[in-house]
Amino acid sequence: MTPQVTSKHPKMGTTIFSVMSALAAETGAVNLGQGFPDFECDPHLVDQVTQAMKEGLNQYPPMPGAAPLREAVSQKIEALYGRHYDPQSEITVTAGATQAILTTMLAVVHPGDEVIVLEPCYDCYVPNIEMAGGIVVRVPLTPGTFRPDFVKIQAAITPKTRAILINSPHNPSGMVWRHEDMLKLQDILAPTQVLLISDEVYEHMVYAPLKHHSASSYAGLAARAFVVSSFGKTYHVTGWKVGTVAAPASLTAEFRKVHQFNVFTVNTPVQHALARYMQNPRPYLDLPQFYQRKRDLFRDGLSKTNFKMLPGEGTYFQCVDISELSVPEKNLGESQFCQWLTREIGVAAIPMSAFYGDGFDQNVIRFCFAKQDSTLQSALARLAKL
C-alpha cells in the first residue's frame, strides 16, 4: 500500500492556466488564456543552441551560470538602466523566473516573516512565500486601474515585514509603473530593512509613450532588490525556462546558497546560445513595436464587440470588462463566464479573480495576444458574436 501523506500545502491546487488550457484543448477553443506564443522564435537562436551542442558545451556550467551569459546580462542592464552589476558576484542564471522567485523566498524569508504582495498577482507568488514559511500580506492594487496604492502599501509595512514583491509591467493587468511610482516606493522603503523582489519579466513589452522603469535604475531600490527577468518571454521561448536574477553581492551570496542545492545550474548549450544571441540588441529593442502591433490588431477587433477594454500599457495581455455584454452569462461571475466562453464561444481566457486570494470578482477577464495574426483573427471572429 502507498503510505498516507498529510499534505504540507493542502490549499494548493492546479493552476488556473493548466485548467483553462486543458479545457481549451478538450473543446477545440482558441487558447488566449495561458501566456505563451504560438509562433516560433528566431531560427538563428535555435541554430546557436545546435552549434553550442556541436562544440561540446554539454556538461555542467558554473553554478551561477555560464560566464559569457552573465557578462552579456550585466552589459545589457548597464546599457538600458544605468547600473553595473558584477557578472561574477551579482548576476545568477536561473531555471526561469518562477525558480528565481522561489529561490529568493527560500534564501531570505524566515518562518513568520511577512511578505507583501500586490493583488492581483501572478499565481506563484503566494505559494512561494508560504513554502518558505512566510506570512503573505495582501495589499490590493486600485480596482479598475490596478495602480499601486502607496497609502495602503506603507500601512502594510510592520517590523515583521521582510520583503515586498512588485511586478511591472504587471501580469495580469498590463499596468506599467511610472517613474514617480518607483520614487515613491524608494522613499517608503528608505528607512526600513525591507527587501524588494522586482519581477520584470515583461520589461521589453512596454508600449509608447511609456517606458520600463527597472528597480535597478534607482540606487535606493537596487541596493535592496532582487531584479528578476526572463529570456523565455523576451525571445519567444517560454519552454526553455531560463531567467536571471541581478542583486547586490551580499544578497546574491545568500541567493546562491539556495540555488546551488535547488537546481544547481541551468541548461548549458542554451546559456551559451543566449549569450551569443544577445550580442545583437535588436531583438529585445524591437520587441515593443512587435507586440504593440499585435496589441493594436487585437484591440481593433475587440472594439467591434461589447467588451470594455482596459488600458494595454505593457505585457502581452489585454484585460476586458464583461459587464456590458448583452449575454446573460456575463452574470455568472468571471470564472464561470470564462468556462462558458471557452465551451460555447470557442475562446479561452483567464478570470482576473484567479489572481486574488479571496477570488475578488470585478467582471474582468484576461486575454493573451502573443499569438499569430491568424490565431488572433480566428479568436476575434468568434468573439464578434458578443
Side-chain angles (χ1 to χ4, degrees):
M1 293 178 60
T2 301
Q4 296 267 332
V5 174
T6 300
S7 177
K8 291 179 65 178
H9 309 287
K11 296 180 182 179
M12 292 184 195
T14 304
T15 72
I16 187 65
F17 310 107
S18 297
V19 171
M20 295 309 300
S21 288
L23 185 59
E26 174 191 326
T27 59
V30 179
N31 188 358
L32 302 188
Q34 193 167 357
F36 60 86
D38 70 344
F39 47 83
E40 296 301 320
C41 68
D42 183 349
H44 181 56
L45 178 54
V46 176
D47 292 342
Q48 293 283 10
V49 178
T50 302
Q51 182 60 34
M53 289 179 175
K54 289 181 177 179
E55 291 175 9
L57 296 168
N58 299 303
Q59 307 308 324
Y60 294 127
M63 178 270 289
L69 182 55
R70 285 182 282 132
E71 290 164 5
V73 170
S74 175
Q75 291 167 7
K76 174 191 152 187
I77 294 173
E78 187 165 10
L80 293 181
Y81 307 126
R83 180 175 178 83
H84 176 73
Y85 286 91
D86 183 341
Q88 301 303 317
S89 61
E90 299 184 315
I91 302 284
T92 308
V93 181
T94 63
T98 299
Q99 183 250 315
I101 294 169
L102 174 59
T103 299
T104 301
M105 297 300 176
L106 293 174
V108 303
V109 175
H110 295 257
D113 284 350
E114 295 177 351
V115 180
I116 296 170
V117 298
L118 308 181
E119 286 193 319
C121 63
Y122 186 60
D123 70 340
C124 83
Y125 295 173
V126 168
N128 286 183
I129 296 165
E130 292 177 341
M131 282 190 276
I135 298 171
V136 179
V137 177
R138 304 172 189 270
V139 175
L141 296 167
T142 305
T145 65
F146 302 101
R147 307 288 307 149
D149 185 328
F150 291 105
V151 172
K152 291 182 178 178
I153 291 172
Q154 187 157 24
I157 296 175
T158 75
K160 293 183 178 180
T161 305
R162 172 76 291 199
I164 178 172
L165 205 165
I166 68 171
N167 173 212
S168 179
H170 180 245
N171 176 16
S173 75
M175 178 272 297
V176 173
W177 281 47
R178 280 30 171 202
H179 173 59
E180 55 268 28
D181 296 327
M182 302 300 284
L183 290 177
K184 182 64 176 176
L185 181 66
Q186 183 172 248
D187 289 343
I188 289 173
L189 297 183
T192 76
Q193 291 294 307
V194 174
L195 296 169
L196 173 64
I197 301 105
S198 185
D199 180 352
E200 303 182 16
V201 299
Y202 297 101
E203 62 181 310
H204 300 300
M205 298 170 212
V206 177
Y207 308 122
L210 301 178
K211 72 174 192 176
H212 177 58
H213 297 285
S214 173
S216 59
S217 296
Y218 302 84
L221 295 179
R224 66 179 71 236
F226 296 87
V227 181
V228 179
S229 192
S230 165
F231 295 108
K233 299 294 192 298
T234 301
Y235 292 138
H236 319 308
V237 286
T238 59
W240 288 12
K241 296 296 293 177
V242 182
T244 59
V245 172
S250 61
L251 298 183
T252 295
E254 293 304 313
F255 180 91
R256 290 178 180 176
K257 288 178 184 178
V258 177
H259 177 77
Q260 68 179 332
F261 296 116
N262 185 340
V263 294
F264 178 63
T265 192
V266 179
N267 188 300
T268 302
V270 165
Q271 288 195 59
H272 286 278
L274 287 167
R276 296 168 185 177
Y277 193 71
M278 285 182 71
Q279 299 312 304
N280 176 13
R282 293 318 316 173
Y284 59 79
L285 293 178
D286 291 343
L287 199 62
Q289 292 80 13
F290 173 83
Y291 272 124
Q292 186 164 346
R293 187 193 65 79
K294 288 188 177 293
R295 181 204 65 173
D296 293 347
L297 182 156
F298 191 54
R299 285 176 65 89
D300 181 64
L302 287 176
S303 70
K304 301 174 177 62
T305 72
N306 288 319
F307 287 112
K308 180 183 176 182
M309 288 180 283
L310 278 64
E313 298 176 346
T315 75
Y316 46 48
F317 302 117
Q318 176 63 55
C319 292
V320 297
D321 189 317
I322 64 175
S323 59
E324 296 180 9
L325 296 179
S326 58
V327 295
E329 286 81 7
K330 69 179 183 181
N331 298 315
L332 291 172
E334 294 169 5
S335 182
Q336 291 299 314
F337 176 85
C338 283
Q339 294 191 41
W340 172 83
L341 189 72
T342 304
R343 294 184 184 279
E344 302 301 327
I345 304 300
V347 179
I350 299 292
M352 185 67 78
S353 56
F355 300 92
Y356 287 90
D358 62 359
F360 175 54
D361 195 309
Q362 54 196 309
N363 295 317
V364 174
I365 65 174
R366 190 198 78 177
F367 293 113
C368 172
F369 57 80
K371 308 295 176 184
Q372 299 177 65
D373 289 3
S374 58
T375 303
L376 295 176
Q377 296 288 11
S378 176
L380 288 167
R382 302 179 185 199
L383 294 172
K385 305 171 188 176
L386 302 173

